[in-house]
Amino acid sequence: GEPTYWPTDPRKVPDLLDIVVSGGISQAYTSIESSLDLTSDHSPLIVTLSRSRITVKHPLRLSSKLTDWYYFRKLVNESLTLKITLKSEEDVDEAVEMFNGTIQKCAWQATPNHEVEAENQINYPLHIKKKIAEKRRLRRIWQNSRNRQDKTHFNRAAQELKRIISKFNNDNFNKFTSNLSSTENTNYSLWKITRSLNQPRVPVPPKALSNGRWA
């Protein structure tokens, strides 16, 4: 979370003033953000409820598990310039800025863009969501009562939901694979899927310690 109250007294720290209470609504379909358009010391909250799953963008990072560190080292060695005079404060600031920019640029070039598209996320239809809610309700009843009959109802609902989700996933997979082809009409979708499955894993090099051993 983040503060919503910004006191005018500099000796006080920002505090949390607003909260949102909801029930029976999944966080995947809600979005909460502060409204920074007002000029008062209070930032009200804007709550968005969506009928479909809200895709959250991941924060930008310099590296990931797919970063090619050998290529990153090569780019850094080729880009850094060590013949820089550091005789004034401006020279130091300029050198630090150039160093940070070089590291950032090389890290992004050595890290492939691997964002998950929103359409690839599973969004179950309404009848499956109702089954999920029913299973959770029966589980809550059994956890409170510890009755054997309630346990039977919960197990039956869980098994039924498992079969429904399995059939839904199989149907989606069959539909997805049936539309793949190696022609230009589908933008060579079959080749793209095959290439993504055959990508080799990039090993992460070990870290060398000061005593010459590996970490």
Side-chain angles (χ1 to χ4, degrees):
E2 58 184 7
T4 59
Y5 172 65
W6 310 89
T8 56
D9 190 349
R11 294 174 297 179
K12 298 181 180 179
V13 296
D15 198 1
L16 183 65
L17 183 62
D18 296 353
I19 60 174
V20 177
V21 180
S22 62
I25 302 177
S26 174
Q27 294 183 357
Y29 299 88
T30 60
S31 174
I32 303 177
E33 58 182 352
S34 300
S35 177
L36 304 178
D37 297 333
L38 303 181
T39 58
S40 63
D41 57 356
H42 173 225
S43 300
L45 298 179
I46 300 177
V47 182
T48 303
L49 300 179
S50 176
R51 297 177 57 184
S52 58
R53 180 183 294 269
I54 298 178
T55 304
V56 180
K57 294 184 178 180
H58 297 284
L60 294 177
R61 297 179 179 177
L62 287 179
S63 62
S64 67
K65 62 180 180 180
L66 301 177
T67 302
D68 189 346
W69 294 109
Y70 294 103
Y71 184 53
F72 169 76
R73 182 185 303 173
K74 177 182 177 182
L75 292 175
V76 171
N77 292 333
E78 294 175 353
S79 303
L80 282 181
T81 302
L82 301 180
K83 297 180 180 180
I84 302 177
T85 58
L86 302 176
K87 297 182 179 181
S88 63
E89 184 177 349
E90 290 77 11
D91 293 339
V92 175
D93 293 339
E94 183 179 353
V96 171
E97 184 177 356
M98 184 193 68
F99 176 78
N100 292 338
T102 301
I103 295 297
Q104 185 182 58
K105 180 180 178 181
C106 295
W108 284 345
Q109 290 181 359
T111 304
N113 188 10
H114 191 67
E115 296 182 355
V116 179
E117 298 181 356
E119 55 267 19
N120 291 337
Q121 298 181 358
I122 299 178
N123 188 12
Y124 292 117
L126 182 60
H127 71 279
I128 295 183
K129 294 178 182 178
K130 290 182 178 180
K131 290 292 184 180
I132 295 176
E134 177 67 14
K135 189 202 74 169
R136 293 174 179 174
R137 186 185 69 84
L138 294 175
R139 180 179 59 185
R140 184 167 58 251
I141 293 176
W142 170 72
Q143 288 176 342
N144 293 330
S145 66
R146 293 297 176 178
N147 185 278
R148 182 175 299 179
Q149 187 176 4
D150 293 337
K151 174 67 172 178
T152 302
H153 294 332
F154 166 66
N155 289 339
R156 186 180 297 116
Q159 292 297 328
E160 181 183 4
L161 177 62
K162 183 178 180 180
R163 290 192 297 268
I164 294 176
I165 291 181
S166 178
K167 183 179 183 303
F168 175 80
N169 292 336
N170 289 334
D171 293 342
N172 279 353
F173 181 77
N174 293 333
K175 181 180 179 181
F176 173 74
T177 54
S178 62
N179 294 329
L180 296 177
S181 68
S182 58
T183 61
E184 187 178 0
N185 296 332
T186 59
N187 197 17
Y188 306 101
S189 56
L190 181 60
W191 162 246
K192 290 183 178 180
I193 293 297
T194 306
R195 184 177 58 181
S196 63
L197 294 177
N198 293 333
Q199 285 184 353
R201 291 188 176 183
V202 180
V204 178
K207 181 180 179 181
L209 301 177
S210 58
N211 56 5
R213 296 184 178 181
W214 299 106

